[in-house]
Amino acid sequence: MGTAVQQPEVRSSRGPATYRYPPGMRRNLLWLALRKLRPANPIFLFQHLAETYGDIVHYKLAWNHIVFLNHPDYIREILVVQNDNFVKERTVQRTRMLLGEGMITAEGAAHRAQRTAAQPAFHRQRIAEYAGVIVEEAVRLRDSWRNGEQRDIAADMMQLTLNVVARTLFAADLRDEVHELAAAINRIMGLYNFLVMLPAAEWLVHVRPPGLAAFVRARDRIDAVVYRMIDAHQKARIDRGTLLDLMLAASPPEDGHSRQHLRDQVITIFLAGYETVANALSWTWYLLSQHSDCEASFHHEVDTVLQARLPGAEDVPRLRYTENVLAESLRLYPPAWAMGRQARNDFALGDYFLPARTTVLISQFVTHRDPRYFPDPLRFDPNRFSAEGKSRRGKFTYFPFGAGARQCIGESFAWMEGVLILATIAQKWKLRLVPGHPVEPEPLITLRPKYGMRMQMEERSG
Ligand code: HEM
């Protein structure tokens, strides 16, 4: 790639500011990508940047300045201290093609209003009420499996978590639509990397040329389900206190715009709330299948805490090891594997001074595998998350749910859902990776297992 060079000071053409860039790659990334005729795998690129240039790295992609960070102090500075000077970076902004103006893409007052309206649905007490539905859905799935059969557990986890989000947050039963919905979302995920690189994709999607027909069709399918859900809710005229009720109450009176606005909010929560958890669970089953000692400790905890009865919200704090297994899985395979921001104004970071519109990138995947914070980083060890292990570590070295004002609103929901699903399924099943099945993380919007996760079901005896 390039060689480490201290970048020269550059005087801004837009004003008197003198920028000072961190060390980094001399070559423009666009040139490297064109030479290889494909974009670099961003995870390899970020790992290379961190290993070669250190905690703060500068490079350019076309005319855009990009800074990649891999130090807790810098990460805190961007996500918390200087948060007001940043908006989501360009590729996130471009997910508006699918998400519209939901909580992930909205900025400023619009974001705050959506977050405030949705907050009651994510309060700890409210979340505990979702436990029954989560366990019910997990039981339905575990009872549909047969001993010795091979399944794509990634697809199973997707359908399970999709049903959970639909029932808990939107009081909707999507059982009949779940296959169609998951297929449409998979279609969009497959096209995502291409779309965010495509110039004027937003306009093209609007015009609907044949080349983008698959994207538009898949989005229309998702929209149809979401609109059906909204209509059914409005017709029923019963306020069940769900997230959808909160969203409806906070929406302006019914018109075309508010309908679209509601759709954006619902679709955002849907996608944010099921994809991530499903991927976390798929990676966790995989890791457990590769580490029989950890799997044995996990089974021991599940069996002794639950004594063969189904888990409830009150069990979650007692399933400590299970939570640590999930935490360690989120460290090694963080579903949100990177985050990006774009500066609104010039800003200082450490010894450097950077221009407005600089893109700042942070990668959970890279920081979580840094040996300075996690010795022997590739080793799967849930005990890193014991109370003692946690107390030794600084906060911004582990951030699977982000941090600051845009921290994941569903974090507590995700922990509870993850622990309950793992425990419920493990009461009955051991999952074994099918020999020879390739396992490779694919960094799309979330970190997915590229070839799915084919596993064989083994019924646990006694
Ligand atoms: C293991 C599961 C999950 C992971 C790893 C995860 C990760 C994240 C991360 C890293 C962010 C911050 C993105 C940024 O700052 O750029 C985020 C935001 C968000 N997450 Fe999650 N999430 C998970 C589960 C959930 C669930 C269950 C829901 C809802 C049911 C949810 C809804 C959201 C929403 C709406 C935002 C945007 C918040 C805002 O900007 O104010 N997430 N998530």
Side-chain angles (χ1 to χ4, degrees), residues 79 88 103-104 111 115 122 165 169 268-269 272-274 276-277 280 330 335-336 339-341 364 399-403 405-411 413-414 417:
L79 295 183
K88 296 281 177 92
M103 206 191 297
I104 287 179
H111 167 258
R115 190 151 174 135
F122 293 98
V165 169
L169 298 178
T268 295
I269 298 282
Y274 97 96
T276 44
V277 182
L330 289 170
M339 295 188 295
R341 300 288 190 265
Q364 285 92 334
F399 46 98
F401 295 93
R406 310 287 314 229
Q407 178 160 343
C408 179
I409 197 171
E411 174 168 357
F413 185 117
E417 183 185 3

Side-chain angles (χ1 to χ4, degrees), residues 408-424:
C408 179
I409 197 171
E411 174 168 357
S412 306
F413 185 117
W415 283 115
M416 190 185 72
E417 183 185 3
V419 167
L420 289 175
I421 289 175
L422 288 171
T424 308

